[in-house]
Amino acid sequence: AQTVTQSQPEMSVQEAETVTLSCTYDTSESDYYLFWYKQPPSRQMILVIRQEAYKQQNATENRFSVNFQKAAKSFSLKISDSQLGDAAMYFCAKYNFNKFYFGSGTKLNVKP
Amino acid sequence: ETGVTQSPTHLIKTRGQQVTLRCSSQSGHNTVSWYQQALGQGPQFIFQYYREEENGRGNFPPRFSGLQFPNYSSELNVNALELDDSALYLCASSSDSYNEQFFGPGTRLTVL
């Protein structure tokens, strides 16, 4: 089965602190792409970070980084120095065989 | 550079009717994907068009169909509407099938 699982429906973090969002997935292939998308309230979904499965190095984009564990089929997102603007729904997604699979999302609350 | 736009913003239909949703892709993008996002859930992949051909399809029945035009804009058609079709329909464009997707604001469809 090609599924993406986000086991944390909601999380909270204090402003300026670090939070990690979890994601696991199923696949029988070695070549695929993984993504984290952010969907702010009533706003458009935007890409946070992207990882090619053939790359061993974890992707990093400013305060956002991933921990990609290919053997464990795990793809967690770490947000450092959390800001109020990080509050949103975060979706983990996988692409292979010309199909996208999204998780159910994690709602991130940021406390001032 | 114009972003991804979708029309209409909101739509109300009755069960059994047909609906057409439209998406204009971002300049330079040749790939469009469509998603259905029910309230409180992650996006479900409907299908993807690459250079006017359907490139991949999720687990949606044939009454969900689409088109992509030479300018890479796209339509999603849904026939014989059911109550469960009520959702936010998202369109996303990209420069290739696995690259970063740029999402539109969505069309909110309500089926009564």
Side-chain angles (χ1 to χ4, degrees), chain B:
Chain B
E1 184 178 86
T2 306
V4 179
T5 60
Q6 292 185 243
S7 63
T9 305
H10 296 88
L11 202 53
I12 299 175
K13 292 285 189 177
T14 56
R15 194 170 47 183
Q17 285 189 311
Q18 178 265 342
V19 68
T20 297
L21 310 183
R22 294 178 174 83
C23 172
S24 291
S25 57
Q26 186 162 311
S27 176
H29 288 179
N30 55 24
T31 304
V32 171
S33 300
W34 284 93
Y35 297 86
Q36 180 193 69
Q37 187 177 22
L39 199 60
Q41 297 184 20
Q44 298 294 311
F45 176 68
I46 302 175
F47 43 57
Q48 180 182 78
Y49 278 82
Y50 172 69
R51 294 188 175 183
E52 303 179 58
E53 297 288 332
E54 187 179 291
N55 189 43
R57 189 178 183 94
N59 294 326
F60 280 81
R63 60 188 186 86
F64 286 79
S65 63
L67 281 174
Q68 188 178 31
F69 300 100
N71 66 354
Y72 301 132
S73 66
S74 179
E75 286 182 355
L76 165 65
N77 299 290
V78 187
N79 294 323
L81 283 168
E82 301 177 359
L83 297 180
D84 284 349
D85 295 334
S86 294
L88 180 68
Y89 287 84
L90 297 170
C91 162
S93 75
S94 57
S95 59
D96 208 330
S97 56
Y98 52 86
N99 280 335
E100 175 182 359
Q101 295 184 94
F102 291 81
F103 281 81
T107 294
R108 174 72 63 187
L109 173 64
T110 302
V111 182
L112 303 176

Side-chain angles (χ1 to χ4, degrees), chain A residues 33 35 37 39 44-47 50 89 91 95 97-105, chain B residues 33 35 37 40-43 45 48 55-57 90 97-101 103-105:
Chain A
Y33 297 83
F35 308 84
Y37 280 92
Q39 190 175 39
Q44 290 167 230
M45 192 160 338
I46 58 173
L47 178 69
R50 173 176 177 264
M89 284 293 292
F91 293 99
Y95 176 82
F97 293 133
N98 295 340
K99 294 182 182 180
F100 282 93
Y101 304 87
F102 276 71
S104 56
Chain B
S33 300
Y35 297 86
Q37 187 177 22
Q41 297 184 20
F45 176 68
Q48 180 182 78
N55 189 43
R57 189 178 183 94
L90 297 170
S97 56
Y98 52 86
N99 280 335
E100 175 182 359
Q101 295 184 94
F103 281 81

